[in-house]
Amino acid sequence: MVSAPATPTPTPSEDTDASPRLGSRRLQDVVIAIEAMNKWYGAFHVLRDISLQVHRGERIVLCGPSGSGKSTLIRCINRLEEHQSGRIVVDGVELTNDVRHVEQIRREVGMVFQHFNLFPHLTVLENCVLAPIWVRKEPRRVAEERAMRLLERVKIPEQASKYPGQLSGGQQQRVAIARSLCMQPKIMLFDEPTSALDPEMIKEVLDTMISLAEEGMTMVCVTHEMGFAKTVADRVIFMDQGQIVEENDPHTFFTNPVNDRTRLFLSQILHH
Ligand SMILES: Nc1ncnc2c1ncn2[C@@H]1O[C@H](COP(=O)(O)OP(=O)(O)OP(=O)(O)O)[C@@H](O)[C@H]1O
């Protein structure tokens, strides 16, 4: 049975002064709506009653201690992991077992992983055009032109004919970002994209993410880069033991955390 696309909670569409704001910007429609979602790994209750709404163009940073469920949560958003109860609606499509919905979501939601996940036996350009050609059935020329534009945007067009193993970690991660963008996603998920990088390469990847944010991409980022959270995020969400414990704008989150667990976490990472 095909379930009807669900409608996320509506938000004001008219651009009136009364519409809610996101910093200096106006809140737009909800693109990710998670309602009372739970997930178990066997008997282990890994995500507990998660409710979260992400608006178009919003930049969310998810943080929290190791094992708190951050990766699992963002992997549920593109159905790399299944949830067992509650609802996840992405751009008006509810995530169910219906493969058509899953395919649609995978096309609209790009994901960048800690360990790049590039195909080592394919060149940078081939990595970038693989999904557009095979999933979106694009002509090779169209896919390659877009891939080259995106490799220019992440500032490594000269690496197009190299293999991933010939690049630095920072360059490989920028290829991974360009590869995701080749599918023209509406939402980008980042799972600790800088954690596997040497310190001197972290900045180049963060700069790429910052420029994406400036262009209005909707982003959900799991990261320990609190400088990025402070300057780029519209909202910082703190998770612990599978729950969203606290969320706020970055200024309030970092200067006036309410929950004891948030305070403890911040004191540990900010003084590290
Ligand atoms: N496939 C799996 N099967 C069983 N347990 C899992 C699986 N994947 C993750 N877990 C467990 O679920 C919990 C949450 O893991 P998750 O990777 O989502 O946490 P995290 O907050 O992203 O942690 P980290 O910051 O260390 O990456 C952990 O206790 C982890 O061991």
Side-chain angles (χ1 to χ4, degrees):
M1 193 183 81
V2 180
S3 54
T7 315
T9 310
T11 54
S13 55
E14 55 284 272
D15 192 32
T16 65
D17 279 340
S19 61
R21 283 172 169 271
L22 196 78
S24 60
R25 297 178 293 136
R26 292 192 198 294
L27 273 182
Q28 299 181 48
D29 51 330
V30 172
V31 283
I32 303 172
I34 303 177
E35 293 166 20
M37 187 267 279
N38 287 274
K39 174 170 179 59
W40 285 262
Y41 285 123
F44 176 50
H45 196 174
V46 60
L47 293 175
R48 296 163 179 263
D49 200 27
I50 300 284
S51 291
L52 172 67
Q53 292 196 339
V54 180
H55 297 82
R56 200 175 298 284
E58 200 176 3
R59 289 91 64 136
I60 305 274
V61 163
L62 277 181
C63 63
S66 181
S68 54
K70 308 177 296 290
S71 291
T72 305
L73 174 56
I74 63 166
R75 291 167 68 85
C76 284
I77 295 173
N78 66 352
R79 200 70 174 183
L80 285 178
E81 295 286 353
E82 269 180 40
H83 59 288
Q84 277 87 38
S85 75
R87 299 200 330 146
I88 302 179
V89 180
V90 179
D91 207 25
V93 176
E94 178 160 7
L95 291 187
T96 62
N97 284 331
D98 189 323
V99 286
R100 285 168 301 172
H101 291 177
V102 175
E103 282 169 6
Q104 184 175 346
I105 294 309
R106 295 269 169 81
R107 263 181 259 138
E108 292 180 2
V109 182
M111 182 147 178
V112 173
F113 302 85
Q114 186 177 356
H115 293 292
F116 327 137
N117 293 15
L118 298 172
F119 292 107
H121 59 290
L122 297 180
T123 65
V124 164
L125 186 63
E126 288 294 336
N127 265 282
C128 289
V129 298
L130 197 65
I133 290 175
W134 291 101
V135 179
R136 281 173 54 151
K137 315 286 182 213
E138 282 184 358
R140 173 169 285 275
R141 187 184 52 79
V142 173
E144 286 189 351
E145 278 173 12
R146 185 185 309 107
M148 284 311 300
R149 280 200 303 279
L150 288 164
L151 288 171
E152 268 160 38
R153 180 161 154 195
V154 301
K155 301 192 170 67
I156 39 173
E158 70 284 355
Q159 310 294 348
S161 57
K162 294 208 180 136
Y163 289 88
Q166 296 173 290
L167 307 186
S168 72
Q171 289 172 327
Q172 289 189 59
Q173 193 60 297
R174 283 185 285 155
V175 172
I177 294 172
R179 178 180 63 172
S180 282
L181 295 175
C182 282
M183 288 292 278
Q184 300 184 292
K186 294 181 177 165
I187 299 164
M188 286 286 287
L189 307 175
F190 291 87
D191 192 0
E192 301 198 31
T194 58
S195 301
L197 299 177
D198 292 334
E200 68 272 21
M201 288 166 196
I202 291 176
K203 185 176 178 303
E204 64 190 47
V205 171
L206 290 179
D207 284 347
T208 304
M209 292 169 65
I210 290 167
S211 80
L212 262 185
E214 285 167 350
E215 288 164 20
M217 177 63 79
T218 308
M219 297 165 67
V220 181
C221 313
V222 175
T223 181
H224 299 298
E225 294 293 332
M226 292 299 120
F228 176 84
K230 280 179 189 168
T231 54
V232 179
D234 297 303
R235 199 156 30 124
V236 184
I237 294 176
F238 174 72
M239 289 184 67
D240 194 18
Q241 297 179 5
Q243 288 176 307
I244 293 180
V245 172
E246 183 159 354
E247 57 180 298
N248 227 322
D249 66 89
H251 179 73
T252 312
F253 183 85
F254 287 107
T255 57
N256 196 16
V258 178
N259 191 285
D260 286 344
R261 286 189 277 174
T262 319
R263 281 203 211 106
L264 178 65
F265 174 77
L266 288 176
S267 70
Q268 285 166 344
I269 60 161
L270 295 176
H271 300 121
H272 198 259

